[in-house]
Amino acid sequence: RVGVARSAILTVGRPMTWEESLGKLAYVREHGVLQFISVWENCRRLRRNDELLWGDEVEYAILRVNASKAWISLRGAEIRSALSAKEAEHEHRSEGCLWHPEYGAWMVESTPAEPYSGFTADLRRVETNMRARRARLLAALREDEIAPTVVVFPMLGVPGTAVDEATGRDFPVGGPYAQSALVPDEVINPHPRFGTLTRNIRSRRGANVEIEVPLFKDDRTPAGAESIKMDAMAFGMGCCCLQVTFQCRDVEESRHIYDQLVVLAPIMLALTAATPILNGKLSDHDVRWEVIEMSVDDRTPAERDAVARGSVKADDRLAGGGVRRVRSSRYSAVSSYLCNHKQRCDLHCAARHYNDVDIEIDEKAKAQLVAAGCDELMARHVAHLFVRDPLVMFEGMIAELDDETHTDHFENIQSTNWNSVRWKPPPSPNPANIGWRVELRTMEVQLTDFENAAFTVFVTLVLRVLLSFDLNVYMPMSKVHENMRRAHERDAATKPNFFYWRAHLAYPKQTTDCPSARRGAPEECSVHSSYERLEEMSILEILAGKSGYYPGLVPLVLAYLDHIGCDPETERIVRSYLDLIVKRASGELVTASKWMRNFVADHPEYRRDSVVPDSVAHDLLRACHDIGVGKVYVPELLGVEPIAPVVKENAYNVQLARVHLESKSDTLAAILERYAERARLVQRRTEVITLLSLRSAELKDLQAELAAINAELEPSPNGYGSPSPAPSLYSRSSPQLDALPKSKGSASDLLGLDNLGWNPSSRSGSQSST
């Protein structure tokens, strides 16, 4: 979606059932390889003259609420259509947006209408465009609808969350597509592609998907309750995320960026953790990734299990006969590095050197690719994609397609290999001259546009640093997979010595390049004695540096901005983004997942049994929406500066019209009086926020004292104190804010980053007030 591509287009036609598709699977696989070869031969020398183009994708959940309950609104397609029509009226005079379909009938996806470019000013466009998208979505909602940027609707699968507007009753479960015992087919986007995809995954697998994640065990969790179980694709593909796509200079750069993002992907997943509740229960994991893995796992029993493999006859119509071992689901972490253009000069830049995970490949496809001139790494990458079968085929669009001018069969396979990073060749036909692109797919969507912009800009700048300074973050692929596993754990973002990371980003070309050598240490320091050295670091160390020998990604970003002469306003905004991210890693600010857990735990109607009541989910979702639009100030999540409000009245450009004061109430004096009153309130709000920040330490001490008193007055049955829950942000008994900034130094103070130019600035003024 980087380039001038417009809104996503869904194929119109009749999708074929799995039984109808079986006889054509081999044709699509074979011609998908031929279509890639055609693109490779025609576009491998396509070059964009170092022009950086990039963009983001943000997904939203459309929900309905009343006084005590929230449920999903199945108007996603209707809202998307209205937004697209409205956009067409304004595209010539405003910061544009595009609206795309998503799997869930309650979901919409948004992107900027035009890509961001390679200038520092474009870093400021990201948040502005995201805020415009949120405002326009608000303008399309009904009075009883909200649209928080939450990863999952936490009560999906609980009765009463998918309601027929005509009857007011639940839609029946067990529909023909998902055959789920928990959710009805009506939650699936009504376009036939999505229902067919759901049914064909289940048909190829031979059973419903099986999703199981560990249950968070609280004080009163029933004995024997170990996991949360789900049975439909909607539980995974109904997750909202934040994705970033980069268009690269040429194919070589795209392969290098792909490899670097593969290593960064688990770190970004942990930093953006926002999925603590599934199917109405608290999960013991913090992120969505494994849920989606299991929700689209179409592997046959023989492909998943060696015992079954020995007792099943191969079906020649399926990839690998349906009996070849396939290590992972179609939705998984990347399995192999792709870049080959540096390996002759520097072993620690050699992707092949770090590919230590066995992957399955289609040997016939690999032979075709090598014969066509693809190098070994590229041939393995594409041949690995083709161990899967196509899942959705449309009648009249199989043998009828020309392999020289279309890539539908290749994209059929490529687009349903949902990996942590996706490498994307140019499309065909390609009238917009779109280049080679790479997409980071692991980040979880955040509650505010400020956070989503912060992570988007951070990833963009890290890639510019790696390219500009000729650095890399390669490590063995097996360690990347271990980092993905660890990223699921609760509070992974702040755990010490938790993620594997390279102790250096570039092996010193000369002895004098080593900091230890410059200080008069022995000729070769322990760190640089082996460029294979990995350490277990916290994300804070990965970001901020460690012990003088590893500089950290954030100081490198700041050094890069200084080196290119970034303008002061952009630098100030970027520093506020980096401040947020570093404080998340230090624990000074909490992840969205941690904040949601605390919200539930503090709610007076939560019974500490791991089950989230409807009333708690309602209050949580209302709070998430209000935080996103700037109505509620939550400093432990975002920092001291509040988010400027996002309102639907400012969704589109306001014309600088000539004002005619015709009514008596609209005299110039009245207008000035209203403005003065508003200015007074804005000033008072700033004063109140400052007072709250100054008194946070005192309030924290009082809360601790109150908890100690409650523990003495209300002993629990086991003899230990059981303090009363603190007032909830959205408790019906006390709607007051109870969350205040922690009274301690910033992460930069704790780490001494001032010496590296790290001086986090206020976020005030970084967003235009609406």
Side-chain angles (χ1 to χ4, degrees):
R1 298 194 182 121
V2 171
V4 294
R6 308 309 294 173
S7 183
I9 298 174
L10 291 172
T11 302
V12 177
R14 189 184 74 83
M16 301 167 65
T17 66
W18 184 246
E19 291 71 23
E20 293 172 325
S21 302
L22 282 170
K24 299 176 173 59
L25 298 177
Y27 182 95
V28 172
R29 292 196 306 271
E30 178 184 349
H31 286 262
V33 174
L34 295 175
Q35 289 175 3
F36 173 80
I37 290 172
S38 176
V39 171
W40 179 254
E41 292 175 344
N42 293 330
C43 300
R44 62 187 300 181
R45 293 177 178 83
L46 179 65
R47 190 178 176 88
R48 300 289 305 189
N49 298 320
D50 209 22
E51 178 188 14
L52 171 65
L53 295 175
W54 53 290
D56 67 84
E57 304 170 28
V58 178
E59 295 165 357
Y60 308 85
I62 313 300
L63 309 176
R64 294 183 65 192
V65 292
N66 59 23
S68 60
K69 185 178 175 65
W71 63 102
I72 58 177
S73 174
L74 304 179
R75 295 200 314 120
E78 177 187 338
I79 289 172
R80 184 179 68 86
S81 178
L83 287 167
S84 296
K86 188 76 170 177
E87 206 67 39
E89 299 174 9
H90 290 264
E91 64 179 350
H92 63 289
R93 61 173 183 263
S94 66
E95 180 77 35
C97 317
L98 294 179
W99 302 93
H100 311 278
E102 262 301 330
Y103 178 88
W106 72 97
M107 300 166 66
V108 293
E109 178 190 287
S110 71
T111 64
E114 299 294 335
Y116 312 126
S117 65
F119 295 90
T120 57
D122 286 87
L123 301 176
R124 304 199 303 266
R125 282 183 57 201
V126 179
E127 188 174 352
T128 299
N129 191 274
M130 289 179 176
R131 287 170 61 83
R133 285 177 253 167
R134 190 184 294 267
R136 293 174 191 185
L137 179 55
L138 292 177
L141 300 181
R142 295 173 178 169
E143 287 300 317
D144 65 344
E145 289 177 329
I146 59 175
T149 39
V150 292
V151 176
V152 299
F153 175 62
M155 306 303 284
L156 187 66
V158 175
T161 56
V163 179
D164 185 345
E165 286 191 34
T167 65
R169 294 193 293 269
D170 284 7
F171 285 107
V173 299
Y177 290 121
Q179 292 190 3
S180 168
L182 299 174
V183 294
D185 281 352
E186 282 76 8
V187 305
I188 304 171
N189 186 307
H191 189 282
R193 179 186 186 275
F194 296 100
T196 303
L197 180 63
T198 305
R199 181 178 57 199
N200 287 358
I201 285 176
R202 184 172 48 76
S203 297
R204 190 186 188 282
R205 178 184 174 88
N208 275 20
V209 295
E210 297 177 359
I211 307 167
E212 186 171 0
V213 297
L215 179 71
F216 171 75
K217 295 183 179 180
D218 211 335
D219 296 342
R220 298 189 181 95
T221 303
E226 300 290 337
S227 62
I228 305 170
K229 297 182 179 181
M230 296 155 281
D231 67 349
M233 185 175 172
F235 288 101
M237 285 302 191
C239 292
C240 297
C241 65
L242 169 67
Q243 298 176 352
V244 190
T245 300
F246 303 93
Q247 181 170 271
C248 304
R249 178 181 62 190
D250 51 32
V251 63
E252 286 81 12
E253 184 178 277
S254 73
R255 295 171 71 169
H256 182 58
I257 284 180
Y258 174 86
D259 287 359
Q260 306 315 302
L261 286 177
V262 166
V263 181
L264 289 169
I267 307 306
M268 301 313 298
L269 176 62
L271 270 173
T272 57
T275 315
I277 307 171
L278 296 162
N279 193 20
K281 302 178 182 68
L282 286 168
S283 168
D284 204 35
H285 285 172
D286 263 1
V287 298
R288 77 197 188 284
W289 193 264
E290 65 182 346
V291 177
I292 316 180
E293 281 187 357
M294 292 180 273
S295 77
V296 295
D297 189 356
D298 72 332
R299 293 174 297 165
T300 66
E303 289 170 332
R304 301 192 307 268
D305 181 68
V307 175
R309 196 173 306 132
S311 59
V312 176
K313 183 179 179 180
D315 183 340
D316 292 338
R317 298 171 297 181
L318 301 179
V323 296
R324 173 174 48 202
R325 174 185 176 271
V326 180
R327 178 184 53 84
S328 63
S329 165
R330 300 180 81 107
Y331 203 110
S332 63
V334 166
S335 298
S336 64
Y337 294 116
L338 186 54
C339 180
N340 73 329
H341 72 285
K342 291 189 173 186
Q343 62 188 31
R344 291 187 180 87
C345 61
D346 193 346
L347 185 59
H348 87 280
C349 292
R352 188 199 311 262
H353 180 66
Y354 293 104
N355 279 334
D356 66 339
V357 173
D358 291 333
I359 63 171
E360 309 82 15
I361 61 170
D362 185 299
E363 294 291 351
K364 180 181 177 181
K366 182 187 174 186
Q368 284 181 279
L369 292 157
V370 171
C374 292
D375 58 86
E376 175 75 12
L377 284 174
M378 179 60 68
R380 283 176 60 83
H381 171 84
V382 177
H384 177 59
L385 298 177
F386 281 82
V387 301
R388 318 281 182 181
D389 279 316
L391 290 173
V392 180
M393 292 182 279
F394 285 84
E395 199 171 44
M397 295 189 65
I398 300 174
E400 295 81 357
L401 297 179
D402 183 351
D403 294 338
E404 295 298 318
T405 59
H406 289 79
T407 56
D408 297 60
H409 296 329
F410 171 71
E411 290 297 340
N412 198 330
I413 302 289
Q414 154 98 339
S415 65
T416 55
N417 274 270
W418 298 281
N419 292 327
S420 52
V421 181
R422 180 176 285 161
W423 181 74
K424 304 167 79 168
S428 181
N430 188 14
N433 199 33
I434 294 173
W436 302 87
R437 296 147 297 154
V438 184
E439 178 184 52
L440 175 64
R441 300 173 47 80
T442 55
M443 292 191 291
E444 309 226 301
V445 72
Q446 303 295 286
L447 296 182
T448 68
D449 302 310
F450 172 71
E451 298 164 276
N452 288 319
F455 287 109
T456 299
V457 168
F458 174 68
V459 171
T460 303
L461 288 173
V462 168
L463 290 181
R464 301 315 286 176
V465 163
L466 297 178
L467 288 173
S468 299
F469 298 150
D470 195 24
L471 306 176
N472 72 80
V473 291
Y474 278 120
M475 68 175 70
M477 184 61 72
S478 59
K479 299 301 184 186
V480 175
H481 288 184
E482 175 60 19
N483 282 350
M484 280 293 287
R485 186 193 67 77
R486 295 183 180 191
H488 283 75
E489 296 193 19
R490 275 190 296 123
D491 302 324
T494 56
K495 287 188 175 180
N497 303 325
F498 196 60
F499 290 92
Y500 287 103
W501 201 252
R502 270 254 303 277
H504 54 88
L505 301 179
Y507 188 69
K509 299 295 188 294
Q510 302 176 15
T511 302
T512 54
D513 290 339
C514 172
S516 295
R518 289 200 300 270
R519 291 194 297 267
E523 182 176 346
E524 198 167 39
C525 72
S526 60
V527 175
H528 292 117
S529 62
S530 170
Y531 55 72
E532 302 293 340
R533 173 175 170 144
L534 293 178
E535 292 186 20
E536 288 182 305
M537 297 187 190
S538 67
I539 293 184
L540 182 61
E541 290 170 327
I542 292 170
L543 295 178
K546 183 175 182 181
S547 302
Y549 58 82
Y550 169 72
L553 297 178
V554 168
L556 284 170
V557 165
L558 291 171
Y560 167 77
L561 291 175
D562 180 69
H563 180 70
I564 65 174
C566 178
D567 63 276
E569 176 62 12
T570 299
E571 183 179 356
R572 182 183 63 78
I573 292 172
V574 170
R575 282 177 178 269
S576 71
Y577 293 160
L578 298 177
D579 193 32
L580 170 83
I581 294 170
V582 171
K583 286 179 177 178
R584 284 276 171 88
S586 72
E588 191 170 340
L589 298 178
V590 297
T591 63
S593 185
K594 180 75 169 181
W595 179 81
M596 292 180 189
R597 289 183 188 279
N598 292 344
F599 186 104
V600 172
D602 291 344
H603 199 288
E605 296 180 33
Y606 172 60
R607 296 182 291 274
R608 311 199 76 82
D609 57 357
S610 307
V611 176
V612 179
D614 282 329
S615 58
V616 177
H618 166 272
D619 292 349
L620 173 64
L621 292 166
R622 285 298 301 264
C624 290
H625 175 80
D626 288 351
I627 291 169
V629 300
K631 287 184 179 179
V632 171
Y633 164 56
V634 185
E636 76 268 28
L637 182 69
L638 301 168
V640 174
E641 289 291 328
I643 299 295
V646 180
V647 294
K648 63 183 180 181
E649 287 77 12
N650 297 125
Y652 298 91
N653 284 10
V654 177
Q655 186 176 5
L656 294 172
R658 295 186 65 178
V659 177
H660 300 283
L661 303 178
E662 297 178 353
S663 67
K664 293 183 179 179
S665 61
D666 271 342
T667 64
L668 180 57
I671 291 173
L672 288 172
E673 185 177 347
R674 287 199 300 269
Y675 172 76
E677 176 63 15
R678 175 175 173 81
R680 186 190 68 79
L681 292 174
V682 170
Q683 176 63 28
R684 181 55 184 162
R685 181 176 65 180
T686 302
E687 293 171 355
V688 170
I689 290 172
T690 302
L691 288 172
L692 286 172
S693 301
L694 292 174
R695 295 175 182 175
S696 60
E698 180 184 354
L699 181 59
K700 182 180 178 182
D701 292 340
L702 289 173
Q703 288 175 330
E705 183 180 354
L706 177 61
I709 293 171
N710 286 338
E712 292 293 329
L713 294 176
E714 303 173 21
S716 64
N718 60 12
Y720 294 96
S722 178
S724 300
S728 166
L729 177 66
Y730 256 73
S731 133
R732 293 183 183 81
S733 60
S734 176
Q736 301 301 311
L737 300 177
D738 66 344
L740 294 170
K742 297 181 180 179
S743 57
K744 62 180 182 180
S746 69
S748 57
D749 295 332
L750 297 174
L751 295 167
L753 290 179
D754 287 339
N755 294 331
L756 294 171
W758 173 252
N759 181 23
S761 59
S762 166
R763 189 161 74 245
S764 176
S766 64
Q767 303 143 350
S768 59
S769 176
T770 48

